[in-house]
Amino acid sequence: MVDKQGDGPTRWSDVLPRARPQPFDRPSRPSGRPRVVGLLVHSLAERQGAIVDSVQAVCREVGARLLVRHTSRAEPGRAQVVQFLDAGADTVVVAGGDGTVRLAAGVLAGAGANQCTLGILAAGSGNVLASALGLRRGSVSGRARVAVLGDLADLDVGLASCWDEHGQPVAPQPFCTMVGMGRDALSVQSTHRRTKRVLGPLAYGVAGLGQLPRRGFEMSWRTDDTPWRRGRYWSVLATNTPLLPGVGPLRAGAVLADRARMDDGLLDVVATRPENPGHWMAIAAAGLLNTRTATRGLQRAQGARVTIEPDQPLPVQADGDIICARARQLSAEVGGHVAVHIGDGRLD
């Protein structure tokens, strides 16, 4: 922690000399009062009682009916959201992490962006999307109010299609923040559920440090129909958010895709190919200082579709979930969008 004169304690991220890019191009808009609210609670979320009570209090205030469902290993979220829609829900609040949110967002985007809105109560191990949207601060009751009544913004929902090591297609998977291949995905794959429960977001950082000194993989990638780029990459990510996850004193994360907006229908590529520790230092500086200058060991691009082909089968991660253990190809694009609550939740 650092003390600023007269302001008390703050985070390291508050004094870094960079401007945090806004996640949306278009302004938010007021939301209406919901009639039926579905609350999806991850089975391992902390303070579940407080979460349910807080959402119930907001629903009682506006006269909405609340439906509560919990996830399980057999039903991680999709089926519950379908049940909410069948019951007439016009708002679904997810109390969980990025994996649970992406499953819910995929169902809502498929049902039509105007049918049901999405509220997020960060209660997972990563919560990258909630951090990017500024939804992690405040009390449970305050965040519940935003999740039900906050202003609305259109959030792009990506669709990732993979082909496994035998060339067979894998069922497409939704994502809200990022999808990719390389050492980043291997870090996710090696992070155990128990470790995530104990360490939270730091668990991914610990796993990532183990992958940091290792060599990258020969991969080719491109956006849309542009020429292929080929090289030995540590990681290739297609991201929907300018903010990538961080740990420790830099918990706010690094801005490596500064042009990324979550409502523009495009994906931004962040491809890292460091050859020495100096390249890693340059990449870290670029993320922390939010620089747009060319950076050694870092390639960036933007497009409507991103295709990645490794020379050997590699795992694919989407929002912190492994969606294919051994993939020969990954194709990602924006498949739809959903209206997400991000405002302060004040009633008119």
Side-chain angles (χ1 to χ4, degrees), residues 4-333:
K4 292 193 294 184
Q5 187 69 30
D7 290 337
T10 185
R11 296 178 184 272
W12 281 105
S13 57
D14 293 333
V15 298
L16 290 173
R18 63 178 172 87
R20 177 170 170 170
Q22 295 300 312
F24 297 103
D25 275 337
R26 296 186 292 273
S28 60
R29 58 191 184 276
S31 66
R33 299 192 181 198
R35 295 166 298 175
V36 180
V37 175
L39 173 59
L40 177 62
V41 183
H42 193 281
S43 59
L44 299 179
E46 296 182 354
R47 304 187 65 186
Q48 295 186 27
I51 289 172
V52 174
D53 290 345
S54 296
V55 176
Q56 178 68 77
V58 179
C59 290
R60 190 179 298 115
E61 180 181 352
V62 298
R65 181 163 62 101
L66 177 64
L67 307 174
V68 181
R69 300 288 186 273
H70 290 76
T71 68
S72 66
R73 287 200 175 188
E75 297 291 353
R78 283 195 183 95
Q80 294 89 330
V81 176
V82 171
Q83 292 173 7
F84 291 150
L85 293 178
D86 290 343
D90 38 27
T91 296
V92 168
V93 176
V94 177
D98 294 308
T100 310
V101 171
R102 76 172 184 88
L103 294 177
V107 174
L108 298 182
N114 296 322
Q115 179 173 342
C116 186
T117 61
L118 173 66
I120 301 172
L121 273 169
S125 55
N127 305 307
V128 175
L129 179 60
S131 295
L133 298 178
L135 299 176
R136 294 191 62 179
R137 298 180 180 178
S139 64
V140 174
S141 59
R143 290 186 289 121
R145 192 173 188 83
V146 171
V148 177
L149 300 175
D151 290 347
L152 295 171
D154 291 327
L155 172 69
D156 289 339
V157 179
L159 192 65
S161 300
C162 302
W163 286 260
D164 66 17
E165 58 185 322
H166 305 295
Q168 297 300 311
V170 179
Q173 292 286 328
F175 65 95
C176 294
T177 58
M178 67 191 74
V179 62
M181 308 178 78
R183 293 290 176 188
D184 174 77
L186 284 169
S187 300
V188 172
Q189 190 179 52
S190 63
T191 304
H192 300 290
R193 290 170 62 94
R194 181 178 299 177
T195 306
K196 290 194 292 185
R197 289 182 63 184
V198 174
L199 298 181
L202 188 59
Y204 295 108
V206 172
L209 288 175
Q211 297 287 340
L212 201 62
R214 300 186 179 184
R215 297 185 67 191
F217 299 95
E218 290 290 338
M219 289 190 274
S220 301
W221 65 271
R222 68 176 180 177
T223 57
D224 302 323
D225 295 322
T226 61
W228 288 93
R229 303 193 194 192
R230 179 174 174 79
R232 183 175 290 275
Y233 292 94
W234 192 86
S235 177
V236 181
L237 293 173
T239 178
N240 189 38
T241 169
L243 190 68
L244 299 185
V247 296
L250 304 177
R251 190 169 180 177
V255 181
L256 288 176
D258 65 294
R259 293 196 302 163
R261 297 296 181 269
M262 306 183 81
D263 61 353
D264 61 0
L266 300 174
L267 296 174
D268 284 64
V269 177
V270 176
T272 51
R273 50 179 307 182
E275 298 177 0
N276 54 58
H279 287 176
W280 275 120
M281 293 177 64
I283 292 170
L288 297 177
L289 301 178
N290 188 16
T291 61
R292 297 191 178 188
T293 57
T295 303
R296 291 184 177 181
L298 177 65
Q299 295 177 349
R300 292 179 276 202
Q302 188 179 69
R305 185 179 70 257
V306 178
T307 307
I308 307 171
E309 293 186 357
D311 282 10
Q312 65 186 82
L314 292 175
V316 177
Q317 72 93 0
D319 292 353
D321 288 340
I322 297 298
I323 61 173
C324 183
R326 293 174 58 83
R328 281 288 187 184
Q329 186 185 83
L330 164 65
S331 178
E333 60 188 338

